[in-house]
Amino acid sequence: MGLILCTPKASPGYTLMAPETNTTTYLIDNFGRKVHSWQNSRPPAQTAYLLPNGNLLRPTRDKIDWPSFADYKGRRVQILAWDGSLVWDYLYSDGKKYLQHHDVAPLPNGNVLLLAWERKSKEDAIAAGRDPSKIPFPGEIWANHVVEIQPTGLTTGKVVWKWSIWDHLVQEHDPAKDNYGKVADHPQLLNINSTTANFDFNHANSIHYNAALDQIILSYLSQSELIIIDHSTTTAEAAGHSGGKGGKGGDILYRWGNPVTYGAGDATQQALWGLHDAHWIDPGLPGAGNILVFDNGLFRPQGNFATVVEIKLPISSATGKYDYTKGAPFGPAAPTWTYKSPADLPSQIVSGADRMPNDNTLIASGEWGTLLEVTRGGEIVWKYINPVIETGPLKQGQKILRDKPAAGNMLFKVRRYAPQYPGLVGKDLTPKGTIEG
């Protein structure tokens, strides 16, 4: 565990790591040495980000009055100063109807975007056109929404913008119900029956913001696709089908990964099979403006194996809108770059990837707590295995429970920050030894 490989080809920087089952967030150098850590009373839900001012942004788990299988997903969002003191500790849940989960995204104005579930009753789901046979235990379904929160105090915040997928549905199951229409005629809407009997019918697990486009990208694991929506709308426009820079209100501007979900193409054109961490590559990095995504490979016809893919968006530089031919899948037809993970790192849950300044890609094979940095040619130039489990750091030689990753060393995703990153300038980054004993 700990550092396995470090070559001169590794991109310099400091890797932020939030072990899934532990309450401590770590910043490590390329030699696997801890340079800083943040202590907390709650584990992450499910990642962390270092802000340009040196503060740590992290969603955290909190016990809730909610079906037990969602207990570990979130509810609370925190900002911690470099010294670990609380700057913001915000609860986004009423305990019954809505709940923050999985991921957050910082905005340039200091606000934060939150992913959240909203519970819909069986009656609500049927009225919206959901096939009753696809409403399983516990007799409800969960829809995703996004809120922008403006921090207003240590424990308070104001919702200044909201978008919900519930306002952008289509179905061809029952003409007597809401949202009826031909799915193939409405690629800008989500087919409410595009998944099997799953309460979490449009499971989203990551969110990212593009300031230049004023757009948001979401990873939809259930549909095996990523979607992009407009953030330039008002909340009223986000609930409708017009307005904003994209002119489509809160409708889907772009989607990629599984055209069958919107009645275009066929199963042979599916490109993603479960996914996490879809995000734009930041300006100034190789591939800037492209999308990087970890594809978990769930139920892939060729076998369950994970890949990281990079796609070039079919976007018009003149209008900022996405090229699309009616009735056809959204482009591109194939990724710009693909990395297939080693056979022993399938990672069917969590996981992510991050582009480095030297054109390498840092990959978190999260199910097994393993980090790889690879070149564009696929050479592994850095490897690290998270030594932290629920009870704390292990010692070399102790066994990580590979058969029980939920109690082991699992990670969601990681980010590496270059030495010149503003949030690190002036900070004490003296190595303090390895995390593992």
Side-chain angles (χ1 to χ4, degrees):
M1 67 190 75
L3 183 69
I4 305 299
L5 174 70
C6 180
T7 77
K9 294 182 181 180
S11 184
Y14 299 89
T15 303
L16 187 67
M17 183 177 71
E20 282 263 337
T21 59
N22 198 266
T23 59
T24 302
T25 301
Y26 297 90
L27 192 65
I28 62 172
D29 65 14
N30 275 12
F31 296 101
R33 301 172 300 191
K34 182 179 75 171
V35 299
H36 195 68
S37 63
W38 292 262
Q39 307 294 328
N40 199 267
S41 60
R42 297 181 176 90
Q46 294 176 292
T47 190
Y49 301 97
L50 186 64
L51 301 178
N53 63 2
N55 288 346
L56 183 77
L57 172 66
R58 65 189 299 267
T60 74
R61 306 178 200 176
D62 201 346
K63 297 299 285 185
I64 51 175
D65 184 13
W66 192 278
S68 60
F69 38 81
D71 274 357
Y72 71 98
K73 294 297 184 184
R75 191 186 186 210
R76 186 177 295 274
V77 182
Q78 296 178 330
I79 295 177
L80 280 66
W82 185 263
D83 64 5
S85 60
L86 270 175
V87 175
W88 192 46
D89 189 18
Y90 181 69
L91 190 69
Y92 186 72
S93 174
D94 66 350
K96 298 289 186 180
K97 290 294 185 181
Y98 62 91
L99 165 72
Q100 181 278 329
H101 68 92
H102 277 87
D103 201 9
V104 298
L107 296 180
N109 63 3
N111 295 349
V112 183
L113 292 172
L114 312 185
L115 261 181
W117 279 308
E118 53 187 62
R119 296 169 74 179
K120 301 293 182 181
S121 68
K122 182 176 182 178
E123 293 73 23
D124 289 338
I126 292 174
R130 179 75 167 176
D131 182 346
S133 69
K134 294 184 175 182
I135 304 176
F137 171 84
E140 61 186 51
I141 64 173
W142 303 354
N144 272 284
H145 71 254
V146 176
V147 288
E148 179 181 345
I149 305 295
Q150 177 188 18
T152 57
L154 179 62
T155 61
T156 57
K158 178 182 179 182
V159 177
V160 297
W161 183 83
K162 181 180 179 181
W163 171 91
S164 175
I165 193 62
W166 202 251
D167 298 318
H168 306 281
L169 300 173
V170 65
Q171 57 91 14
E172 51 187 51
H173 171 72
D174 189 340
K177 299 296 189 293
D178 293 342
N179 307 309
Y180 184 73
K182 187 173 177 59
V183 170
D185 291 341
H186 299 282
Q188 78 280 15
L189 303 175
L190 183 76
N191 178 7
I192 193 174
N193 292 307
S194 59
T195 54
T196 56
N198 190 333
F199 61 90
D200 191 6
F201 84 99
N202 74 309
H203 179 96
N205 53 47
S206 71
I207 182 171
H208 188 243
Y209 176 71
N210 185 310
L213 298 173
D214 203 5
Q215 294 175 3
I216 296 167
I217 188 169
L218 304 172
S219 299
Y220 274 174
L221 185 143
S222 300
Q223 278 75 25
S224 285
E225 64 177 348
L226 56 89
I227 72 164
I228 293 176
I229 59 173
D230 199 342
H231 177 259
S232 70
T233 60
T234 65
T235 295
E237 289 171 336
H241 310 287
S242 63
K245 292 179 180 178
K248 295 184 177 181
D251 285 348
I252 297 169
L253 299 177
Y254 174 82
R255 60 203 302 178
W256 192 82
N258 187 9
V260 174
T261 62
Y262 52 97
D266 56 40
T268 64
Q269 293 167 295
Q270 184 171 344
L272 299 174
W273 286 266
L275 68 150
H276 287 81
D277 195 22
H279 63 279
W280 283 277
I281 297 174
D282 287 339
L285 296 176
N290 291 351
I291 297 295
L292 200 62
V293 58
F294 190 101
D295 178 25
N296 299 81
L298 300 174
F299 310 115
R300 190 192 304 269
Q302 300 86 354
N304 289 353
F305 60 87
T307 61
V308 175
V309 298
E310 177 184 346
I311 65 169
K312 183 175 178 60
L313 293 172
I315 190 170
S316 168
S317 58
T319 65
K321 296 182 179 180
Y322 297 92
D323 299 330
Y324 178 67
T325 301
K326 186 176 180 179
F330 278 88
T336 299
W337 176 75
T338 300
Y339 173 77
K340 181 180 177 181
S341 68
D344 61 339
L345 298 175
S347 204
Q348 297 184 32
I349 55 177
V350 295
S351 307
D354 189 25
R355 179 56 47 82
M356 301 289 98
N358 64 357
D359 202 24
N360 291 351
T361 300
L362 179 64
I363 300 170
S365 185
E367 185 174 0
W368 308 114
T370 299
L371 309 181
L372 302 173
E373 182 181 343
V374 303
T375 66
R376 190 164 285 269
E379 178 187 358
I380 298 174
V381 297
W382 188 84
K383 182 177 181 180
Y384 181 90
I385 296 177
N386 171 31
V388 184
I389 63 171
E390 185 175 10
T391 54
L394 295 171
K395 295 180 179 180
Q396 288 288 359
Q398 286 185 274
K399 182 180 179 182
I400 296 173
L401 299 177
R402 293 289 185 185
D403 57 333
K404 295 181 179 179
N409 67 333
M410 190 164 65
L411 295 164
F412 181 12
K413 58 184 177 182
V414 299
R415 293 290 184 260
R416 180 177 295 165
Y417 298 89
Q420 64 271 23
Y421 180 70
L424 296 175
V425 174
K427 301 295 191 297
D428 180 8
L429 300 173
T430 305
K432 300 171 179 63
T434 60
I435 296 173
E436 70 277 8

